[in-house]
Amino acid sequence: MFVDSEGLRNRIQSVAEEINLRSGGKIAFAEYISLPYYGYVILRFSLTDSQYTVDDLDCYEAMMYECAKDEFLIDFMGDVYRAAGVDYRRMDRLLADCLDLYGNESLFKSVYADRLEEDAGYLLALCGLSRNLPVWEIQLEEEVQLLILGAVNRQIGRFCGDGLTINVHEVEEKACRGRTRAAFYARRKGISLVRALLKAQEAG
């Protein structure tokens, strides 16, 4: 699969190292996840410094996008957002509010979109599922996690094929769409995703 290819991993490592260097070691790469339906790979980072403000996160993410450009989406791990005041107890509702707030935001696919779509179709076929299903995420762990956009959050099944074990889940579409729109809004505005989430939290 492209998402597990050496070429992609090397490119991600290069961008992650540049971000770490430019942040003086404060921003450390954590993981990457494929978003086939929206045509992006998202890079996630952690912070080694426990003291920061939302203004700091704005500056960090602006710098990170200078490195990632339009090639990747970027964000931080959940603990960073929790510490900044995002209420994870109502996250699904918050992300649905983001869709109401940022629903008109334009989306653009990355240069990797076609190859990510091929990965999604390959995994769906291994599971005996329609290649036309909208795949929200591909997470590469010991077992592949395949998340499909749908009406509710539920597990669909566990499948094996071509040496892979694939756990398929349906995830609530409105929350996923809201998160994506918020990410593109934040990038366009030159602010952090956490600021966009906090704006939706206050509005809700």
Side-chain angles (χ1 to χ4, degrees):
M1 289 190 298
F2 169 73
V3 73
D4 196 30
S5 67
E6 183 178 0
L8 178 61
R9 289 180 180 273
N10 288 343
R11 180 59 187 147
I12 289 171
Q13 182 179 358
S14 175
V15 172
E17 287 175 353
E18 182 180 358
I19 288 172
N20 182 260
L21 182 64
R22 290 186 59 177
S23 70
K26 292 182 179 180
I27 303 175
F29 177 69
E31 64 181 11
Y32 74 95
I33 291 173
S34 165
L35 304 176
Y37 185 72
Y38 290 104
Y40 268 91
V41 172
I42 185 166
L43 311 185
R44 289 194 171 137
F45 294 82
S46 60
L47 285 177
T48 59
D49 189 350
S50 61
Q51 300 296 319
Y52 53 86
T53 65
V54 175
D55 287 341
D56 291 331
L57 296 179
D58 288 344
C59 293
Y60 288 153
E61 289 199 22
M63 178 274 290
M64 293 159 78
Y65 271 121
E66 288 179 4
C67 300
K69 300 183 174 61
D70 292 332
E71 190 173 357
F72 301 103
L73 289 176
I74 57 95
D75 70 7
F76 286 105
M77 299 295 285
D79 62 320
V80 174
Y81 295 141
R82 287 187 186 92
V86 175
D87 186 357
Y88 266 67
R89 295 169 300 177
R90 58 181 298 271
M91 181 54 72
D92 284 349
R93 173 61 186 275
L94 173 58
L95 295 178
D97 290 343
C98 283
L99 184 59
D100 294 334
L101 195 59
Y102 308 123
N104 293 324
E105 193 65 31
S106 297
L107 305 179
F108 304 93
K109 293 189 175 184
S110 77
V111 296
Y112 302 128
D114 290 344
R115 283 171 284 184
L116 299 178
E117 186 176 342
E118 290 173 3
D119 284 352
Y122 163 72
L123 291 172
L124 288 167
L126 285 181
C127 298
L129 301 171
S130 169
R131 285 177 173 265
N132 295 323
L133 288 174
V135 174
W136 161 243
E137 284 188 4
I138 299 171
Q139 300 177 11
L140 299 179
E141 302 172 359
E142 289 187 10
E143 298 181 350
V144 177
Q145 308 300 318
L146 190 66
L147 278 57
I148 297 171
L149 295 174
V152 296
N153 294 320
R154 65 187 179 98
Q155 183 166 356
I156 293 176
R158 189 167 183 262
F159 305 87
C160 296
D162 206 8
L164 298 172
T165 300
I166 308 163
N167 296 294
V168 183
H169 304 266
E170 180 182 342
V171 289
E172 200 278 314
E173 181 175 0
K174 187 172 183 180
C176 297
R177 290 171 59 204
R179 191 205 175 287
T180 305
R181 300 282 175 168
F184 275 82
Y185 170 83
R187 188 171 74 171
R188 181 175 62 83
K189 287 289 190 179
I191 60 174
S192 60
L193 176 57
V194 71
R195 190 176 293 277
L197 292 176
L198 290 172
K199 178 180 177 181
Q201 185 168 289
E202 292 168 3

